[in-house]
Every structure is written in C-alpha cells, then in structure tokens.
Amino acid sequence: MAKVIIVFASMSGNTEELSDAIAEGVKAAGLEPVVKNVMDTEASQLEQYDAIIIGAYTWGDGELPDEMLDYYEAMDGLDLNGKQAAVFGSGDSAYDIFCGAVDTLEQKLKDRGAAIAADSIKVELNPTNEETEQCRALGRRLAELAAASV
C-alpha cells in the first residue's frame, strides 16, 4: 500500500488546519496519511514514503520558521527521486515576500529529486472554505499518484 506523509510547522494553528484538510483528502482517496509536526519527526523518514507533503508558515520577510530550519538542512542528504511531492503554507501579505517558506521548501524537494505533483497552496493567514477544499483536493491528488506508483 502506498504511503503518504504530511509534515508541517504551525505557530498560530493556520498551517496545522491546512494539514488537517490535506489529510482528509488523502483519507478520501483511500489511504491513511502519517501526519507529523516537524518537531516530532526526522527528515530521513521522508525516504520511506511514496508521497511527501510539507507545510510551513512563513516567518518575517519570507523565511522558514525556526522549528523548520534543522529539518530543512537535514533534507540535504536525501534521495527523493521517484517521490511525489507538494508544499503548502500560510503567510501574511503585509511582508514583501508572501509565503516565501513555501517556495523555499518546494525548491528543496526539487533539488532532492522529488516530482512536484501539484501547485503549491499559499494561504493568507486563515484558510477560507475554498482554500480548505483546495487542500483536500491536494491530498486526494497526492494519494492517487502515490497509489499509482506502487
């Protein structure tokens, strides 16, 4: 059976809410996702999954949040070739770089060989109903791609 992991960093709960909606989509597609706060997992575990979905809020002017930094750096040694991947996150457009952490994480996944299987989801603070549904659709898509790859 295909394996899907969702790893997230959330300070205010917005990005965690997005990860919950993505997990609902994965479940709707018939798979049981593993959902982990970035503080409770190791980057090396990503190699064990067929689909990888990573989310983070953006800190300051487009930066990764502090709790994501070690995880991000630990991704450097990974081989993610053949993995389906997507990124999501929340941010505040009052800053010059909106959701810059999403772009940074997506590039890292590409650099490690993962195939970006869906457009990134960037949310202004709290998700709207439409954005929540986009997250569910993202989860379904990644689950379907993961299932097709095994």
Side-chain angles (χ1 to χ4, degrees):
M1 179 175 278
K3 294 169 56 176
V4 179
I5 188 167
I6 302 166
V7 178
F8 70 92
S10 186
M11 181 170 57
S12 64
N14 295 332
T15 307
E16 184 172 10
E17 187 176 339
L18 298 172
S19 72
D20 290 344
I22 292 168
E24 289 171 13
V26 172
K27 290 175 186 175
L31 297 178
E32 188 61 39
V34 172
V35 182
K36 296 274 191 175
N37 185 299
V38 72
M39 300 299 288
D40 299 327
T41 189
E42 299 291 327
S44 61
Q45 294 177 346
L46 293 178
E47 292 179 320
Q48 302 168 20
Y49 292 87
D50 304 297
I52 300 162
I53 309 169
I54 301 180
Y57 65 95
T58 296
W59 183 251
D61 194 24
E63 294 135 28
L64 289 170
D66 286 346
E67 64 269 32
M68 185 63 83
L69 293 174
D70 289 342
Y71 190 89
Y72 175 83
E73 290 175 14
M75 290 173 68
D76 283 340
L78 301 181
D79 177 4
L80 301 180
N81 285 303
K83 311 292 184 186
Q84 300 294 321
V87 183
F88 66 98
S90 59
D92 185 341
S93 62
Y95 291 95
D96 290 339
I97 300 173
F98 177 65
C99 285
V102 171
D103 299 330
T104 299
L105 289 166
E106 183 174 295
Q107 187 59 53
K108 177 67 81 173
L109 287 165
K110 286 179 186 176
D111 291 348
R112 303 314 318 144
I116 303 302
D119 290 339
S120 296
I121 295 178
K122 296 179 179 181
V123 173
E124 174 83 20
L125 304 173
N126 318 20
T128 63
N129 289 339
E130 181 181 327
E131 290 165 333
T132 299
E133 186 49 45
Q134 289 173 348
C135 288
R136 288 186 190 106
L138 175 73
R140 284 190 300 272
R141 174 166 172 72
L142 269 286
E144 290 164 0
L145 289 169
S149 72
V150 294

